[in-house]
Amino acid sequence: MIQIGRYNDLPVLSQLPRGLQLDGGEFGEILLPKQYLQGDEQVGDVLRVFIYCDSEDRLIATTETPKVQVGEFAYLNVVDENRHGCFLDWGLSKDLFVPFSEQRHTLKKGGQALVRVYLDNSERIAASTKLDRFLEDIDDTNTFKQGDEVSIVAAEKSDLGLKVIVNGTHWGLIYANDLFETPKRGQERKAYIKRVREDQKLEISLRPLGFAKVEGLAGEVLQKLKKEGGYIAISDKSSPDAIKRVFKCSKNAYKQAIGTLYKQQLIKIEKDGIHLV
């Protein structure tokens, strides 16, 4: 079955002067315009294409690469507006529409917005900044477990830290004291479940939980790295005096500490110093 607003693998049915007719199953034949062809396509070939609606709401295929698909979140530029809403650049020739009814705050041309792409009741692709209605409360404590690796999208700062979207389905929070780096809004990256609270809220860590459990000199080195922006110009090749001046320890103790961090894949050791991974 065709998925509108997502990639589909469709067979070529026929060749026309204006492009290729693809087999859209229950949706009938779908045109792939000739400007998207490489020239060596044949009837019977199966092509990977993105399906969306043209300006007349007809299904059409493209080999262009959208910045986001239906069901996903993205941070996009507002490129136009009219009396019905605004339009976002999502990488295709036809811009992505955000109705006024789906704007948490009024969007203006030249701005940016974190949106979730969805299909409306007429199967047309649209976007919304009202993210809460797409994100669930956890109703099953087995959904997430402490230490699980997850995918997050940075959403917005709060008084407590940074709100993030977890696995495209739930809200999570990275507390300010855990933000040794701050992902850009809309940035997607991996993270870890730090805690599933009794109220079913998710606390998130950007590092594996071993990061929080490092104690002693290794913990002091981590704190120093966080304070210095992720880099310290002292490696295992530095002089004993330089190490003692900063960490008040012997060179051997320092090497053991950074060795512990290296084994946990928390740092990289370079000639010029050590870096958070």
Side-chain angles (χ1 to χ4, degrees):
M1 182 175 178
I2 293 295
Q3 291 184 294
I4 301 172
R6 299 193 66 84
Y7 288 106
N8 294 262
D9 295 318
L10 304 182
V12 178
L13 292 177
S14 61
Q15 294 178 318
L16 303 175
R18 59 187 180 141
L20 299 177
Q21 292 290 93
L22 307 180
D23 184 0
E26 63 184 62
F27 290 96
E29 297 183 359
I30 299 175
L31 178 69
L32 174 61
K34 62 181 181 180
Q35 64 262 37
Y36 303 127
L37 304 183
Q38 295 182 351
D40 58 354
E41 295 88 355
Q42 301 291 326
V43 172
D45 287 351
V46 176
L47 305 180
R48 187 163 182 77
V49 293
F50 184 80
I51 303 298
Y52 69 115
C53 296
D54 65 14
S55 57
E56 297 180 10
D57 287 334
R58 298 172 299 190
L59 289 182
I60 194 165
T62 181
T63 55
E64 293 179 302
T65 303
K67 298 176 182 178
V68 61
Q69 300 184 70
V70 165
E72 297 178 347
F73 298 82
Y75 193 51
L76 303 174
N77 294 323
V78 182
V79 294
D80 203 359
E81 56 184 289
N82 64 21
R83 61 191 180 91
H84 301 293
C86 70
F87 298 87
L88 309 176
D89 173 15
W90 66 321
L92 301 183
S93 53
K94 181 187 177 185
D95 295 326
L96 179 61
F97 182 56
V98 186
F100 277 128
S101 60
E102 291 296 333
Q103 297 180 29
R104 192 175 67 167
H105 304 293
T106 302
L107 301 178
K108 296 293 184 181
K109 182 178 179 180
Q112 294 177 305
L114 180 63
V115 298
R116 203 267 198 179
V117 182
Y118 69 99
L119 291 179
D120 67 14
N121 293 332
S122 300
E123 295 289 288
R124 290 175 296 191
I125 303 170
S128 174
T129 64
K130 296 182 177 181
L131 306 185
D132 284 343
R133 72 184 186 91
F134 301 101
L135 299 172
E136 306 168 2
D137 290 328
I138 305 171
D139 54 9
D140 180 357
T141 56
N142 294 319
T143 302
F144 297 99
K145 299 187 298 295
Q146 186 180 51
D148 282 353
E149 181 178 310
V150 293
S151 174
I152 64 166
V153 174
E156 58 189 35
K157 292 182 179 179
S158 73
D159 293 339
L160 298 176
L162 178 69
K163 289 182 66 176
V164 297
I165 299 165
V166 182
N167 285 354
T169 58
H170 295 80
W171 280 117
L173 177 69
I174 305 174
Y175 282 103
N177 58 2
D178 288 329
L179 283 172
F180 56 89
E181 60 175 299
T182 304
K184 295 180 180 179
R185 193 177 188 198
Q187 180 182 347
E188 183 176 355
R189 59 167 295 167
K190 70 178 180 181
Y192 303 87
I193 301 296
K194 183 176 181 180
R195 185 163 73 105
V196 181
R197 299 186 340 199
E198 291 183 1
D199 60 2
Q200 304 303 302
K201 302 297 184 182
L202 293 176
E203 294 180 13
I204 304 298
S205 170
L206 292 176
R207 297 289 178 193
L209 295 195
F211 181 92
K213 297 178 181 178
V214 175
E215 299 176 346
L217 180 57
E220 293 178 22
V221 174
L222 277 182
Q223 292 301 318
K224 181 71 172 176
L225 278 166
K226 290 168 62 177
K227 184 177 179 180
E228 299 297 330
Y231 167 69
I232 300 173
I234 300 178
S235 72
D236 56 350
K237 306 298 183 184
S238 299
S239 70
D241 287 342
I243 293 171
K244 185 175 182 179
R245 184 168 59 251
V246 176
F247 291 104
K248 308 296 188 295
C249 69
S250 68
K251 181 170 182 175
N252 186 55
Y254 180 71
K255 290 175 68 174
Q256 289 179 354
I258 64 175
T260 297
L261 300 178
Y262 180 79
K263 289 178 182 178
Q264 295 191 40
Q265 299 181 341
L266 299 176
I267 66 169
K268 292 187 298 183
I269 302 175
E270 308 285 355
K271 291 182 179 180
D272 64 338
I274 59 176
H275 304 254
L276 281 173
V277 172

